Amino acid sequence: EGNNVKLSDYRGKVVFLNFWATWCGPCNVEMPHFESAHEIFKESQEAVILAVNIQEKEKKVKDFLQDNKYTFPVLLDTDGEIAMTYRIHSIPTTYIIDKDGIIRDVVIGPLGEADLLGYVEELSGE
């Protein structure tokens, strides 16, 4: 929606910073899991999924999200600068960041809903 987002805005929540693209098969496998976890996170307010699309046009990404009825937050890295900052070489890649803003894990490959909920349970109890 044209807004800049900072990780510090989400301090106090577990953050799943996910890098993906619409053409990526494994990314498409995890998206439904992200959507169902997002619904749970909206209720509990313990975590947030920030899905960063890498170098695709805004319209393509919006159409993809709308066609699949995905409602979790999606950010656009149109020039690939953020992906370079996070040293993304393969997608999907997800950074798991704890409530204090500390990177606790990096997962290369798709995550399932149980994985997401497990991380939240582990990192929320600290």
Side-chain angles (χ1 to χ4, degrees), residues 53-69:
N53 178 275
I54 302 173
Q55 293 184 302
E56 292 188 282
K57 301 276 186 216
E58 181 178 349
K59 180 173 180 6
K60 181 174 183 135
V61 175
K62 279 188 173 183
D63 289 348
F64 175 84
L65 297 171
Q66 195 168 37
D67 290 348
N68 291 286
K69 298 178 175 51

Side-chain angles (χ1 to χ4, degrees), residues 55-124:
Q55 293 184 302
E56 292 188 282
K57 301 276 186 216
E58 181 178 349
K59 180 173 180 6
K60 181 174 183 135
V61 175
K62 279 188 173 183
D63 289 348
F64 175 84
L65 297 171
Q66 195 168 37
D67 290 348
N68 291 286
K69 298 178 175 51
Y70 295 139
T71 61
F72 51 85
V74 172
L75 312 174
L76 300 176
D77 180 17
T78 55
D79 59 7
E81 185 178 334
I82 304 303
M84 283 186 4
T85 299
Y86 281 87
R87 299 181 179 173
I88 303 301
H89 300 288
S90 179
I91 56 174
T93 295
T94 305
Y95 279 77
I96 293 97
I97 303 165
D98 73 12
K99 294 180 187 185
D100 297 318
I102 298 168
I103 296 170
R104 291 304 187 106
D105 203 356
V106 179
V107 178
I108 298 171
L111 286 166
E113 180 182 347
D115 300 317
L116 298 167
L117 298 176
Y119 274 111
V120 171
E121 184 177 325
E122 176 186 332
L123 297 175
S124 292

